[in-house]
Amino acid sequence: MQIPHEKLIEMYRTMVRIRIFEERVSKEFAAGNIPGFVHVYIGEEAIATGACANLRQDDYITSTHRGHGHLIAKGGRPDRMMAELFGRKTGYCQGKGGSMHIADTGLGILGANGIVGGGIPIAGGAALSAQMRGTDQAVICFLGDGASNRGTFHEGVNMASCWNLPVVYVIENNLYAEKTRITDTARVANLADRATAYGIPDVTVDGNDVIAVYEAVHEALARARKGSGPTLVECKTYRWHGHYEGDRQTYKPKEEAEDWQRRDPIPAFRRKLVETRIFTPADSEKIEREVAEEIESAVKFARESPFPNPEETLQDVFA
Ligand SMILES: Cc1ncc(C[n+]2csc(CCOP(=O)(O)OP(=O)(O)O)c2C)c(N)n1
Ligand SMILES: [Mg+2]
């Protein structure tokens, strides 16, 4: 598949943006500037990037508790997200939601979700709405390996299959759900094998290879848009940090972590782009510098923004 050079370079920028954003979040969390729980996406950048590079602005995504990468890849604003993490009024939820509630419906980002597997029924609903309105919009539903063991997965994928809904399910198999290895909770060789039970196509790819993810999701989206129903895409990857920031990760073998860090998706993609003369090392350094400045100003924006007033606590509560 021929991917335009500008798109490849933009994908590189997105991966770098996610990495630098998350490294900064980790640092600011350790410094006590971010309240609550934070789950970072470091090591998994190729998945959100490769998948979302196929989307239009009017397509939808549903995200997870590890959602910063999905938001950035779908075009969400790093400054408003950073402000939300800092609990500030300029944040996506006026500082009252935090990391796991960020959404931007204008960009089709239907929300991060603190409920594991919670995005799966939402993705089905959005896809049903697109189908009923007769559009060719599609939905990418991101979920973890752990979420693929939940009832919402089995019910949601089965229903989407029966109704030919335009959803692409992207399983980010980072080998762990909190501290539990996926091999202790699933006997299938590939989680994508579960697609057989619902009569839909599946594909398993190296989730650290952004091009492989892009191509798999490209094909799945084409099927979805023409009314041929959902696809299950499993992306194998690794979570570099703990489940949450502050998790000491005593349960992970050292060699396993080192092995996956050698397969860092960002330098691998950089090498490929340099070797194929799509950009030069100087171009890549320029992108890294620009993104670092962008994230620096996102932090400044967050830090200088006011906290919400206590009187606003119940504003925006709909019940
Ligand atoms: C319904 C529900 N059950 C349990 C939890 C607690 N919990 C939060 S994240 C998590 C693990 C999720 O693992 P996975 O789906 O693999 O995503 P990852 O964290 O690896 O990205 C669990 C069990 C929750 N938030 N919601
Ligand atoms: Mg996982």
Side-chain angles (χ1 to χ4, degrees):
M1 174 187 284
Q2 270 295 342
I3 307 173
H5 289 186
E6 311 79 69
K7 189 178 262 300
L8 290 168
I9 295 170
E10 207 38 51
M11 282 157 75
Y12 182 75
R13 184 184 292 275
T14 301
M15 287 171 76
V16 171
R17 186 177 282 132
I18 298 172
R19 174 68 57 93
I20 296 183
F21 183 92
E22 293 292 58
E23 281 175 343
R24 191 58 183 266
V25 165
S26 178
K27 213 169 122 200
E28 296 292 335
F29 182 87
N33 296 330
I34 295 178
F37 271 101
V38 181
H39 311 86
V40 300
Y41 197 63
I42 298 175
E44 308 184 31
E45 296 88 349
I47 303 175
T49 303
C52 290
N54 287 291
L55 293 180
R56 308 189 306 237
Q57 183 162 331
D58 68 338
D59 290 321
Y60 302 105
I61 64 164
T62 62
S63 176
T64 70
H65 56 284
R66 200 175 299 289
H68 310 156
H70 308 143
L71 266 111
I72 289 176
K74 184 69 171 67
R77 281 178 49 180
D79 55 351
R80 290 194 62 201
M81 186 150 60
M82 194 64 89
E84 186 58 39
L85 298 182
F86 273 64
R88 307 301 167 113
K89 216 169 157 164
T90 51
Y92 264 114
C93 313
Q94 294 94 48
K96 296 182 282 186
S99 171
M100 286 183 276
H101 298 97
I102 298 174
D104 188 336
T105 50
L107 293 172
I109 299 167
L110 301 182
N113 210 310
I115 300 167
V116 170
I120 300 166
I122 297 171
L128 178 61
S129 132
Q131 188 187 61
M132 289 175 77
R133 285 180 285 113
T135 74
D136 70 342
Q137 290 164 292
V139 187
I140 293 181
C141 173
F142 291 103
L143 65 134
D145 45 284
S148 77
N149 277 339
R150 283 217 58 216
T152 50
F153 174 78
H154 302 286
E155 294 177 30
V157 177
N158 189 53
M159 193 177 85
S161 165
C162 291
W163 292 359
N164 281 327
L165 297 181
V167 192
V168 179
Y169 298 98
V170 175
I171 301 182
E172 305 180 310
N173 183 358
N174 60 14
L175 308 188
Y176 290 89
E178 291 194 343
K179 300 169 187 184
T180 307
R181 286 186 70 89
I182 186 62
T183 44
D184 292 332
T185 58
R187 283 284 183 247
V188 280
N190 296 310
L191 295 173
D193 293 349
R194 290 176 166 173
T196 311
Y198 310 111
I200 63 169
D202 67 274
V203 53
T204 300
V205 296
D206 175 0
N208 283 15
D209 179 347
V210 68
I211 307 277
V213 175
Y214 178 88
E215 290 181 347
V217 172
H218 190 86
E219 200 174 305
L221 278 169
R223 278 176 42 77
R225 291 195 203 284
K226 67 171 197 243
S228 303
T231 304
L232 184 57
V233 179
E234 177 185 359
C235 302
K236 309 251 195 210
T237 188
Y238 197 69
R239 190 193 77 207
W240 285 23
H241 278 211
H243 171 59
Y244 47 81
E245 288 306 286
D247 168 8
R248 291 176 53 225
Q249 308 200 74
T250 46
Y251 50 91
K252 272 186 186 172
K254 195 163 159 274
E255 310 72 51
E256 176 188 85
E258 287 170 355
D259 180 41
W260 278 92
Q261 293 196 3
R262 275 193 290 275
R263 290 145 72 180
D264 187 336
I266 298 180
F269 190 38
R270 185 196 299 126
R271 271 196 303 278
K272 192 174 273 182
L273 294 181
V274 170
E275 275 163 22
T276 50
R277 297 175 188 274
I278 288 167
F279 68 18
T280 64
D283 295 330
S284 115
E285 280 158 27
K286 180 162 177 280
I287 290 173
E288 286 145 30
R289 246 188 346 265
E290 285 167 357
V291 172
E293 280 165 21
E294 186 192 329
I295 301 305
E296 193 58 52
S297 54
V299 173
K300 187 164 181 284
F301 173 77
R303 212 180 259 144
E304 292 174 356
S305 294
F307 285 103
N309 295 320
E311 307 84 72
E312 295 164 22
T313 307
L314 296 181
Q315 255 175 31
D316 311 308
V317 173
F318 305 97

